[in-house]
Amino acid sequence: MSAASTPETSATSSRRDQLLAIAAQLFAEKGFKNTTVRDIADAAGILSGSLYHHFDSKESMVDEILSTFQEGLFAQYDEILASADDARTKLERAVRVSFEAIHQHPHEVAIYQNEADYLGTFDRFGYLADRNTQSRQVWVTLIEEGVRTGVLRSDLDVTLTYRFIRDTVWVAVRWYRPPTPGSGGHTHTDVADQYVRILLDGISATGGRGGRSATVTRPRNPKASRT
Amino acid sequence: MSAASTPETSATSSRRDQLLAIAAQLFAEKGFKNTTVRDIADAAGILSGSLYHHFDSKESMVDEILSTFQEGLFAQYDEILASADDARTKLERAVRVSFEAIHQHPHEVAIYQNEADYLGTFDRFGYLADRNTQSRQVWVTLIEEGVRTGVLRSDLDVTLTYRFIRDTVWVAVRWYRPPTPGSGGHTHTDVADQYVRILLDGISATGGRGGRSATVTRPRNPKASRT
DNA sequence: CACCATACCAAGCAAATGCTTGGTAGGCTG
DNA sequence: CAGCCTACCAAGCATTTGCTTGGTATGGTG
């Protein structure tokens, strides 16, 4: 029953990609287990059985969705880690890349956030735990470098700080929606800017919030949004 | 699976409450839809049909779990809002109360975090949206009061800051586990302290992180933890 | 003792769900 | 035009799932 039918080289498996996109949206909205193959087929305008012409199983659909997404994301992290930027800039870039991922692949991010624990119980999805470890190493490395080079406070608990940043960034997938031209919502770069600012300098007005990053400062519009 | 644990030293809690606790744990671990009535019954050592002697439906179980929990939580928020503390103290207290809720009712918090969207689609759970609104009002009120009284930066986007705080606090339910005496894990008060500190003053070492709250400062142990 | 409430069992039903099987229609290519 | 490939349909099977129904054992109370 091994799939492996993906020609890899082909940039034209469009129907397959369409179906994956439809499935990703449904998985993100309703959860993996809570989405039936009939839901997916209905949304695609075909019968549920026809899905099995393209995919081995429902599992293999999430598998492909998640692994493809993560491949791209971690390539970007690796690029940042290998760069010559200082620690603060690297941290900012990592945050920005993450918000960009939320912007461009909201369904994939949501699925990972919501289903990683459950899926991780299957052998097939062992790589999710690996990716999680890898992600932690990226952030911890950046934080430790920041502390070592003096741009971050030396009294930080690294693990706790890691979780603070990770959670803060990724949970945004729950509410972030790309702004429609008229609606004055925040772009993902706007949100990233503000988050970096709060993260680095806090929300307090107390005394010196002096040396803040040059790239972070920017005006923002005062309109409110929902949720 | 099997288990069928003995009634244990169940003190005063009624059988009904025991069953609710068991259900809450399973809902939190595996998700509501993903937990079957047979799962619950197995964990309780009875047959699935017997659950219907105590409850109308699976839905009514989550309903009771969530509404009971929220009642207690929001009573605490109301108390804080009504207090005479200054804005900064109120904010800190609200954060602390939330971490305490994570400590004492981890399953309930997890269920709300994971299932609110899905459950909210049923009429029966309309109150979840109300509670969400209420929660936002609590935080926004505190933030605006902070800005007005000058303890918080005046250039904050209130809505974004609200989401930052809300997410940062509640997502901790995903990784927080009460520390076992020997392991140097963080207590929920420890975690709350550090989170408040980062939130207010940021992680940056730049210049003055001077006027930090008196109640926040406390020594922390340097031991690492997992995940 | 009669009565009854509590807590459960035993069996099963109807619907939902993942997946299978055998077949069809259209397009491309040698 | 024969052969083959892609994309799908039609029908259904086995299992899972929420819930129902009728019955049993135990303990308390008037």
Side-chain angles (χ1 to χ4, degrees):
Chain A
M1 292 298 193
S2 64
S5 56
T6 9
E8 295 292 327
T9 57
S10 76
T12 43
S13 63
S14 78
R15 186 52 172 156
R16 190 187 165 84
D17 289 343
Q18 284 179 34
L19 295 175
L20 276 184
I22 289 169
Q25 179 170 354
L26 289 171
F27 290 156
E29 282 171 4
K30 317 181 18 170
F32 173 69
K33 186 95 185 231
N34 210 355
T35 301
T36 72
V37 292
R38 283 170 182 81
D39 288 337
I40 302 170
D42 283 355
I46 59 178
L47 291 185
S48 68
S50 305
L51 284 175
Y52 292 83
H53 168 71
H54 300 274
F55 306 98
D56 283 341
S57 64
K58 202 175 85 165
E59 269 186 19
S60 75
M61 292 190 222
V62 238
D63 195 338
E64 194 166 333
I65 290 167
L66 285 180
S67 55
T68 302
F69 164 68
Q70 289 190 325
E71 216 168 317
L73 178 65
F74 280 90
Q76 291 183 277
Y77 284 153
D78 288 344
E79 207 274 319
I80 293 173
L81 275 182
S83 78
D85 295 325
D86 68 299
R88 180 161 181 151
T89 305
K90 282 185 190 169
L91 252 183
E92 287 188 20
R93 285 185 60 194
V95 170
R96 268 170 233 289
V97 158
S98 306
F99 274 104
E100 202 179 321
I102 290 174
H103 177 71
Q104 273 163 342
H105 304 286
H107 304 321
E108 287 82 349
V109 173
I111 294 170
Y112 180 73
Q113 292 299 301
N114 296 330
E115 318 285 348
D117 276 359
Y118 168 68
L119 294 176
T121 63
F122 299 92
D123 287 348
R124 164 172 209 167
F125 293 96
Y127 67 89
L128 290 179
D130 298 338
R131 288 299 196 184
N132 189 45
T133 301
Q134 193 182 349
S135 163
R136 181 176 64 238
Q137 282 168 345
V138 168
W139 290 109
V140 166
T141 300
L142 294 181
I143 293 166
E144 284 176 343
E145 187 182 330
V147 170
R148 194 174 348 105
T149 60
V151 299
L152 296 187
R153 299 209 321 249
S154 55
D155 63 337
L156 291 176
D157 178 299
V158 173
T159 302
L160 219 45
T161 306
Y162 149 66
R163 287 196 278 237
F164 187 98
I165 297 176
R166 176 199 59 182
D167 292 348
T168 301
V169 167
W170 289 118
V171 169
V173 76
R174 292 199 177 186
W175 56 262
Y176 171 78
R177 297 293 175 274
T180 55
S183 74
H186 301 84
T187 67
H188 67 98
T189 3
D190 270 345
V191 176
D193 286 344
Q194 300 242 12
Y195 268 45
V196 167
R197 176 89 183 269
I198 293 180
L199 177 66
L200 288 171
D201 297 330
I203 66 175
S204 170
T206 49
R209 60 175 204 274
R212 59 184 187 272
S213 162
T215 68
V216 169
T217 311
R218 68 164 58 186
R220 68 198 53 79
N221 70 29
K223 295 192 187 154
S225 50
R226 56 225 161 84
T227 299
Chain B
M1 299 308 167
S2 52
S5 55
T6 55
E8 303 182 8
T9 52
S10 55
T12 25
S13 70
S14 68
R15 184 59 170 149
R16 186 188 168 84
D17 290 341
Q18 285 180 30
L19 295 175
L20 276 184
I22 289 169
Q25 179 170 355
L26 289 172
F27 290 157
E29 283 171 4
K30 316 179 22 169
F32 173 70
K33 185 95 186 228
N34 210 355
T35 300
T36 71
V37 292
R38 284 170 181 79
D39 288 336
I40 302 170
D42 283 355
I46 60 178
L47 291 184
S48 69
S50 305
L51 284 175
Y52 292 83
H53 168 70
H54 301 273
F55 306 98
D56 283 341
S57 64
K58 202 175 85 164
E59 269 187 19
S60 74
M61 293 189 222
V62 238
D63 195 339
E64 195 166 332
I65 290 168
L66 285 179
S67 56
T68 302
F69 164 68
Q70 289 190 325
E71 216 169 317
L73 178 66
F74 281 89
Q76 291 184 278
Y77 284 154
D78 288 343
E79 208 275 320
I80 293 173
L81 275 181
S83 78
D85 296 324
D86 67 300
R88 180 161 180 150
T89 305
K90 282 185 192 168
L91 251 184
E92 286 188 20
R93 284 184 62 193
V95 171
R96 268 170 233 289
V97 157
S98 307
F99 275 104
E100 202 179 321
I102 291 175
H103 177 71
Q104 273 164 342
H105 303 286
H107 305 321
E108 287 82 350
V109 174
I111 294 169
Y112 180 73
Q113 292 300 301
N114 296 330
E115 317 286 347
D117 276 0
Y118 168 68
L119 293 176
T121 62
F122 299 92
D123 287 347
R124 165 171 210 168
F125 293 95
Y127 67 90
L128 291 179
D130 298 338
R131 288 299 197 183
N132 188 45
T133 301
Q134 194 182 350
S135 163
R136 181 175 66 239
Q137 282 168 344
V138 169
W139 289 109
V140 166
T141 301
L142 293 182
I143 293 167
E144 284 176 342
E145 186 182 330
V147 170
R148 196 176 346 106
T149 59
V151 299
L152 297 187
R153 299 209 321 249
S154 56
D155 63 336
L156 290 176
D157 179 300
V158 173
T159 302
L160 220 45
T161 305
Y162 148 67
R163 287 196 278 237
F164 187 98
I165 297 176
R166 175 199 62 182
D167 292 347
T168 301
V169 168
W170 289 118
V171 170
V173 76
R174 292 199 177 187
W175 55 262
Y176 171 78
R177 298 293 176 274
T180 55
S183 77
H186 302 82
T187 67
H188 68 98
T189 4
D190 271 343
V191 176
D193 286 344
Q194 299 243 12
Y195 268 44
V196 167
R197 177 90 184 268
I198 293 180
L199 178 67
L200 288 171
D201 297 331
I203 67 174
S204 170
T206 49
R209 63 176 201 273
R212 61 185 186 272
S213 159
T215 68
V216 168
T217 311
R218 69 165 56 188
R220 66 196 56 79
N221 69 30
K223 296 190 186 155
S225 50
R226 57 227 158 81
T227 300

